[in-house]
Amino acid sequence: MSSPTPPNATEPVDWSRIRLVFAAVAVTLFLASLGQTVVTTALPIIVGELGGLDQITWVITAYLLAATVGAPIFGKLGDLFGRKKVLQAGILVFLTGTTICALAPSIWVLVAGRAVQGMGGGGLIVVSMATIADVLPPRQRGRFQGILGSVFGLSTVIGPLAGGFIVQHFDWTWIFLMNLPIGAVVFVLLAVLLETPPARKRASLDYAGAIGLSLVLSLLVVMASLGGKTLAWDSAEMAFLMLGAVAALVGFVAAEKHSSEPILPLGLFGINNFVVSNSVGFITGVAMFSTITFVPFFLQVVKGVSPAMSGLYTFPMMIGLIGASTLSGQFMSRTGRYRILPVYSTLVLALAMVALGFVGPHTPNPVIGALMFLAGVGIGPVMGVGVTAIQNSVPARMVGVGTASANMFRLIGGSLGTAAYGALFAAGLGRHLGTVMPGTDPRALSAQQIAAMPEATREVISQGIAHALHPVFWCSAALACVASCIALMMVERPLADTLPAAE
């Protein structure tokens, strides 16, 4: 949707129209963010049928990587051609990937489908959030961005619940098939509720920048996934990947300097709040997606919890995230202040990650639920504050790509973190279980195989898996403390009560 053109800078807000627009973008955001986590609790079942335990992170990483690449591309297209057309195109891409996943005969076809799905999903998330900036003044955006953060959190945690329930009672393909009718409804809602922007002259697209950014992010994730597990860090193959990433980065920077419509304008990196907000968002993404991925896995494999029940244990995280996000949005709208929120919330997140780093096979399940709630409280305020601070700092013509950056860096953190933590976890399994199971690759174990072992062996295996997971959460705790320090450098610019005149 194109930015409205008020007759002056103090034009009153049309609340009836805003409610309709908000309903459309909230449903769109729900659909896209649901795709990120709906497979997490179903992974042991899916991977047990299509592949081994060592492939578990690729199904998540493929979606996050593609969404990371799709976010700035779709954000820029939204700035150029209007939000409505781009949102509808994103839905079509998302549903195409969904169909591939549902029909996948092997793990790598599933990974490919998740990549297509993620490309569309990443675009839907950022363009939905950018649409709010088109129709609301900065002071009011905080409240609505806080609600969108709650929608994101709701779908993020409902995803594991829905995924666990489906694989327990139906075939796992229904995890993807259920998106088709929802996507069709959302497509119709957007067609009816959003305005079609006026025709504009043809804009030049930054193809070189898009390709360069895709290569940089892809190579980083591949290195994080393979480093120390499949490839030694000092191997010739890893050196080749590193050189490729550097070359792609140099090419990307060169392309952005010479493009008339860069995918990610380099000038944005000179804006303090852009850099600070995205740095904090990056670290939050690492902690959030590692928690959503590994806690349900731990509950199923170590604690023997069913897929549906393991998803239910992420419900406290949803409550904490939604509550904290909503309250922080209200705080921003009423006071116009936001800088202090991520400073303290990331410290709460660090505390939750430290505690999760001591969870073991005999930790009471309610304690794990309480720690998930605490993690949600730490994550919630970062989402709304980051988007609001960026939208309040970047030029109006760059709101789409600025909003996209918030999601992009959070997803970069999620994809790199999940991949790196997957490698860290796999190395820990080899270290803790290599002598217990000589001649057997512990990374290839499934939850069913562990459950069938004698009790004494199962106890040793469970302890080894728990110890292998602990460094994942300790690393996230250290990063959350770093995020709190970075948040202190945010500049609190006043949030205006009116829409700026259209440029």
Side-chain angles (χ1 to χ4, degrees):
M1 192 180 87
S2 61
S3 298
T5 308
N8 54 62
T10 60
E11 182 185 13
V13 176
D14 183 355
W15 287 109
S16 61
R17 172 171 170 263
I18 292 215
R19 291 188 185 97
L20 293 175
V21 171
F22 183 76
V25 300
V27 175
T28 304
L29 178 64
F30 182 86
L31 173 70
S33 54
L34 187 71
Q36 293 180 349
T37 59
V38 71
V39 301
T40 54
T41 48
L43 280 178
I45 302 296
I46 296 174
V47 175
E49 181 177 327
L50 299 180
L53 187 63
D54 57 335
Q55 308 295 338
I56 190 171
T57 57
W58 278 109
V59 181
I60 301 293
T61 302
Y63 187 101
L64 295 180
L65 173 59
T68 303
V69 174
I73 294 174
F74 275 80
K76 185 64 180 181
L77 291 175
D79 285 341
L80 294 176
F81 302 112
R83 317 291 181 209
K84 180 177 180 177
K85 292 180 180 179
V86 175
L87 282 172
Q88 290 180 311
I91 289 176
L92 294 178
V93 174
F94 181 84
L95 295 183
T96 299
T98 293
T99 304
I100 295 173
C101 291
L103 301 176
S106 67
I107 186 65
W108 293 114
V109 175
L110 177 66
V111 169
R114 289 284 289 170
V116 176
Q117 192 183 34
M119 178 68 71
L124 291 176
I125 290 172
V126 300
V127 181
S128 296
M129 292 182 172
T131 302
I132 297 301
D134 288 345
V135 295
L136 279 174
R139 183 77 171 254
Q140 296 298 329
R141 289 175 198 164
R143 177 158 56 101
F144 281 84
Q145 294 292 3
I147 297 174
L148 285 182
S150 299
V151 172
F152 182 87
L154 178 67
S155 59
T156 297
V157 184
I158 280 183
L161 288 172
F165 177 83
I166 289 172
V167 296
Q168 189 167 330
H169 296 90
F170 307 98
D171 189 82
W172 62 264
T173 56
W174 283 102
I175 288 177
F176 303 104
L177 292 174
M178 71 175 184
N179 287 321
L180 298 178
I182 298 175
V185 171
V186 172
F187 191 92
V188 173
L189 282 175
L190 294 174
V192 173
L193 297 179
L194 294 188
E195 296 178 358
T196 301
R200 55 167 292 169
K201 65 180 182 179
R202 184 177 179 83
S204 60
L205 299 180
D206 182 18
Y207 295 107
I211 293 172
L213 181 62
S214 301
L215 286 174
V216 171
L217 296 177
S218 299
L219 288 171
L220 287 176
V221 171
V222 168
M223 286 190 293
S225 300
L226 302 182
K229 184 174 65 171
T230 303
L231 297 177
W233 287 108
D234 58 353
S235 66
E237 294 87 350
M238 185 59 68
F240 179 78
L241 290 174
M242 291 179 180
L243 288 175
V246 171
L249 179 60
V250 171
F252 169 70
V253 172
E256 298 307 270
K257 285 183 178 180
H258 296 94
S259 175
S260 59
E261 294 287 356
I263 287 289
L264 187 61
L266 299 181
L268 292 176
F269 290 92
I271 300 174
N272 175 275
N273 283 358
F274 177 89
V275 175
V276 170
S277 296
N278 284 327
S279 298
V280 175
F282 174 91
I283 292 174
T284 303
V286 173
M288 181 175 72
F289 286 102
S290 63
T291 302
I292 292 171
T293 299
F294 287 105
V295 169
F297 168 78
F298 172 83
L299 288 168
Q300 288 184 51
V301 175
V302 175
K303 304 282 285 182
V305 174
S306 68
M309 187 59 69
S310 71
L312 188 62
Y313 273 93
T314 61
F315 189 77
M317 186 178 186
M318 176 189 69
I319 299 298
L321 194 154
I322 290 175
S325 179
T326 302
L327 290 175
S328 64
Q330 294 286 350
F331 178 82
M332 284 188 286
S333 292
R334 292 178 181 178
T335 67
R337 301 177 66 85
Y338 50 87
R339 173 179 174 269
I340 201 66
L341 293 172
V343 173
Y344 288 110
S345 71
T346 48
L347 291 178
V348 173
L349 177 61
L351 179 63
M353 293 297 104
V354 168
L356 283 172
F358 289 96
V359 165
H362 304 293
T363 302
N365 290 349
V367 172
I368 297 176
L371 296 179
M372 293 291 282
F373 172 83
L374 199 62
V377 170
I379 293 169
V382 174
M383 294 183 177
V385 171
V387 172
T388 300
I390 290 172
Q391 290 179 344
N392 197 44
S393 302
V394 303
R397 69 183 184 278
M398 297 182 182
V399 164
V401 71
T403 305
S405 72
N407 189 66
M408 182 185 75
F409 280 100
R410 184 170 63 247
L411 289 176
I412 290 174
S415 56
L416 288 178
T418 302
Y421 285 162
L424 181 64
F425 172 59
L429 283 178
R431 186 170 59 253
H432 291 286
L433 298 180
T435 57
V436 177
M437 304 180 63
T440 301
D441 185 357
R443 297 173 299 180
L445 290 172
S446 66
Q448 295 87 343
Q449 289 174 316
I450 295 174
M453 292 177 178
E455 183 177 352
T457 304
R458 188 168 61 247
E459 174 68 17
V460 173
I461 297 297
S462 297
Q463 290 285 359
I465 293 175
H467 288 311
L469 279 175
H470 289 166
V472 168
F473 298 111
W474 291 336
C475 287
S476 290
L479 289 174
C481 291
V482 173
S484 180
C485 296
I486 294 174
L488 286 170
M489 295 185 284
M490 182 178 289
V491 177
E492 193 160 59
R493 296 183 47 167
L495 297 173
D497 288 307
T498 58
L499 278 168
E503 292 188 344

